[in-house]
Amino acid sequence: MAVPGDPPDGTPEGIGGGDEEFRSDEYRSVVFDEDFVRAARLQEFSAQERMGDHARAVRSRSIWSGSGSARPRTGTPGRGARQGMLLVLLIAVAFAVAVYMGLSNPSLPPAVVRTEPLTSTIVPLAPAAAVPGGRPADLYANSPAADYRVGAAGITLPGARRTHHFTEGQVVTALSIAKDYLVQSSLDPDVLAGAANRPVRVLLDPDQLDQFDRSMTSPSGDGRHAATGWLVRFDPGTAVVADTRVRVSGTLAIDEVSADVLEVITDHTFVYAVRPATGSPAAADGASLFTVRRELKLRFDRDDLVARRAELVTAYVMAGPQACSDEPAEGFRPVLAGAGPTTVGPAASDPYASGTPRRAAGLCGVLAPPTPAGTAPVSPAP
């Protein structure tokens, strides 16, 4: 019978000595009984616990690595915490950079240049005396327009210099577009006869085309839709041009009104020889003179200069002789040779006068008696 302390299966073979020798005091202290062994709980320490305070044999993986990195040491933040802290730091840095760039380099929104609609004023000038008639050449020779140049030669460009924000070439372009507009809207025979308006239309900013088209199809004297604010044309039922050699004199001036806009002011007097629409073109003395003074304000942004177009902002037009009772919005109706005065008023306007003309106080004025030939302003030589 086995006694406590004996091996469960008895004494191993080959071990001599008997019970007393095996159970010597030297080994008795380290021999456990069966109940103790069964009650013992086995626990295997982890590699880190076995290492204790010794240095790790391998380097921990980077926080950017995937799963499987070494377990962080006790007391230090985990990988998730470190990533969160780094993300917060990156966001803070990005926000600080954005604030600094916004304060040190403020970006202004691009200026929006709005195209204004045309505002026009058309003032008919009634004759103060009977309208003289004759041959066009004789009429011109005995009028203040005797020294005016013919056609486009009378529209001369001033010397061009660069402005603060525009080059000399851009200034020249603005002036040349303004001249083109004056030529097409005041001298083109088809435009004068009311047979065409496209030569003028193609020179306008697209934002003004709806207003222009309405002015051509349904003209009115509302200050926005008078055809004669955009161009010069005669009522084909009243008069036609008797001589295509229109006399012209005037000036152009340019100014930079903003960093993105140039403005050209034109002030020209156009003198036309006209005759009755129903008369014979061969009549020797059936012509008379009709004078139009046009003050235009045209603006050009950088897109207009590239596209060679203009924005017509204002037009102040005095034209006569014509009756104040006639509506000049659709086309001019000249008082022809031999007709007497139709209106008597307190103020007279001289469309031949140099500088800013005296403007009529109302919607009609009186055509001042012409000054002697040779005293009217003459365009400078090109």
Side-chain angles (χ1 to χ4, degrees):
M1 177 178 179
V3 298
D6 290 338
D9 297 327
T11 303
E13 295 181 0
I15 299 178
D19 290 342
E20 292 296 327
E21 181 182 357
F22 180 76
R23 299 172 185 169
S24 64
D25 292 338
E26 181 179 358
Y27 297 100
R28 186 177 298 275
S29 62
V30 295
V31 177
F32 305 101
D33 59 16
E34 183 178 358
D35 293 335
F36 179 84
V37 172
R38 290 177 178 176
R41 183 174 62 89
L42 299 180
Q43 179 179 359
E44 182 180 358
F45 291 99
S46 66
Q48 184 173 3
E49 289 173 336
R50 291 196 299 271
M51 289 174 61
D53 293 332
H54 296 285
R56 297 180 180 180
V58 295
R59 181 177 299 175
S60 298
R61 298 178 64 181
S62 168
I63 61 174
W64 305 110
S65 302
S67 60
S69 59
R71 180 186 297 180
R73 293 183 179 180
T74 304
T76 61
R79 184 184 63 179
R82 289 198 301 272
Q83 288 179 336
M85 293 171 60
L86 181 58
L87 180 60
V88 172
L89 179 61
L90 290 176
I91 293 175
V93 171
F95 180 76
V97 171
V99 171
Y100 173 77
M101 294 298 292
L103 294 177
S104 60
N105 299 296
S107 56
L108 297 176
V112 178
V113 181
R114 184 175 62 89
T115 301
E116 298 181 14
L118 168 66
T119 301
S120 60
T121 302
I122 315 299
V123 180
L125 300 178
V131 178
R135 296 178 181 272
D138 296 335
L139 293 172
Y140 283 131
N142 294 292
S143 75
D147 296 324
Y148 285 11
R149 290 182 178 162
V150 176
I155 306 174
T156 57
L157 303 183
R161 292 185 298 178
R162 64 167 296 130
T163 65
H164 187 63
H165 296 96
F166 291 88
T167 66
E168 180 179 335
Q170 290 173 317
V171 171
V172 171
T173 299
L175 289 169
S176 64
I177 298 172
K179 178 175 180 176
D180 290 344
Y181 187 87
L182 287 172
V183 170
Q184 299 300 328
S185 64
S186 308
L187 300 175
D188 185 282
D190 291 334
V191 172
L192 297 177
N197 57 53
R198 178 173 172 76
V200 180
R201 191 179 191 274
V202 296
L203 292 175
L204 290 172
D205 187 281
D207 292 339
Q208 290 188 313
L209 294 182
D210 288 343
Q211 183 187 10
F212 177 83
D213 292 340
R214 180 179 170 185
S215 301
M216 297 300 110
T217 58
S218 302
S220 66
D222 61 358
R224 294 294 179 91
H225 300 96
T228 47
W230 301 93
L231 46 81
V232 176
R233 75 179 183 185
F234 297 97
D235 175 17
T238 302
V240 295
V241 176
D243 186 354
T244 58
R245 295 172 296 176
V246 181
R247 303 308 196 264
V248 185
S249 179
T251 60
L252 292 94
I254 192 165
D255 185 32
E256 178 184 302
V257 296
S258 73
D260 296 302
V261 177
L262 286 173
E263 187 174 270
V264 175
I265 304 295
T266 74
D267 183 4
H268 289 80
T269 299
F270 301 86
V271 185
Y272 305 88
V274 297
R275 61 174 179 80
T278 57
S280 172
D285 56 356
S288 60
L289 297 183
F290 188 84
T291 305
V292 179
R293 179 78 176 260
R294 302 183 77 195
E295 292 180 79
L296 307 180
K297 180 185 292 184
L298 301 103
R299 287 181 183 166
F300 306 86
D301 58 29
R302 299 184 185 277
D303 291 338
D304 293 330
L305 296 177
V306 173
R308 293 195 63 83
R309 65 196 183 199
E311 302 170 18
L312 183 58
V313 180
T314 61
Y316 185 86
V317 181
M318 297 188 303
Q322 62 181 333
C324 291
S325 59
D326 289 336
E327 175 62 62
E330 183 175 358
F332 297 122
R333 299 182 177 93
V335 174
L336 300 171
T342 58
T343 302
V344 177
S349 299
D350 184 2
Y352 294 95
S354 60
T356 303
R358 181 177 181 178
R359 303 193 176 199
L363 297 179
C364 185
V366 177
L367 182 64
T371 56
T375 62
V378 180
S379 298

